[in-house]
């Protein structure tokens, strides 16, 4: 599936890799989806909430208490995380519980964060 791209310099040796790269590098919308995920997580507070919710389901008040923050501040961060599909919520009576969405993407983000932070997760099976 050649994209018929001509490069200024002809020093690629692997035609298969070149064609693969050319076929995908223009899928700007796909890259935007990944960019949006990183944008949602491009804030230490959101990362802390996301990481916390990888391990437990919690209400806003408990998340706020664990993070020494106000409930409105936590809600402010939960909204975009939920809108992006990274976390989900469940209502039970008057209480709303949040947790990380169950997906391959969130599992990888969880593992990636703990690798970068050198945290040996004692909760999740590897
Ligand atoms: Zn973990």
């Amino acid at each position: 599936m050649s994209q018929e791209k001509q490069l200024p310099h002809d020093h690629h040796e692997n035609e298969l890799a070149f064609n693969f790269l050319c076929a995908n590098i223009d899928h700007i919308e796909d890259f935007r989806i990944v960019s949006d995920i990183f944008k949602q997580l491009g804030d230490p507070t959101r990362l802390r909430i996301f990481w916390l919710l990888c391990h437990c389901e919690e209400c806003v008040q408990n998340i706020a208490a664990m993070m020494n923050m106000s409930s409105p501040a936590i809600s402010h961060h939960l909204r975009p995380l939920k809108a992006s599909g990274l976390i989900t919520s469940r209502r039970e009576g008057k209480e709303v519980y949040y947790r990380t969405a169950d997906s391959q993407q969130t599992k990888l983000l969880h593992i990636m964060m703990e690798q970068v932070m050198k945290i040996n997760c004692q909760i999740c099976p590897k």
Side-chain angles (χ1 to χ4, degrees):
M1 185 172 40
S2 174
Q3 296 297 299
E4 306 293 333
K5 277 194 182 170
Q6 295 295 319
L7 299 185
H9 297 174
D10 184 22
H11 46 66
H12 60 275
E13 290 167 11
N14 188 335
E15 192 78 15
L16 205 66
F18 175 74
N19 288 339
F20 167 76
L21 295 173
C22 286
N24 287 282
I25 198 70
D26 289 334
H27 293 180
I28 294 164
E29 275 309 311
D30 292 343
F31 284 93
R32 190 164 287 144
I33 292 168
V34 180
S35 169
D36 284 343
I37 290 171
F38 285 129
K39 204 178 289 171
Q40 293 312 318
L41 293 172
D43 175 284
T45 302
R46 281 191 206 160
L47 278 173
R48 290 169 70 212
I49 294 170
F50 175 82
W51 181 78
L52 179 70
L53 296 177
C54 285
H55 304 92
C56 60
E57 186 181 59
E58 270 304 352
C59 64
V60 173
Q61 289 78 10
N62 281 1
I63 298 168
M66 288 172 89
M67 293 180 58
N68 295 313
M69 290 177 68
S70 71
S71 292
I74 295 298
S75 293
H76 169 78
H77 287 292
L78 285 171
R79 240 172 277 127
L81 286 171
K82 194 182 165 192
S84 67
L86 289 168
I87 64 168
T88 61
S89 63
R90 174 178 70 85
R91 180 176 283 279
E92 194 176 302
K94 286 182 177 176
E95 202 76 82
V96 179
Y97 296 95
Y98 296 88
R99 68 180 181 84
T100 299
D102 184 16
S103 73
Q104 187 64 19
Q105 290 172 12
T106 57
K107 283 187 182 74
L108 290 170
L109 288 165
H110 172 191
I111 292 168
M112 182 270 286
M113 284 181 71
E114 292 181 347
Q115 281 189 2
V116 171
M117 297 192 292
K118 296 183 175 30
I119 290 175
N120 189 9
C121 193
Q122 319 235 318
I123 300 172
C124 306
K126 285 277 147 59

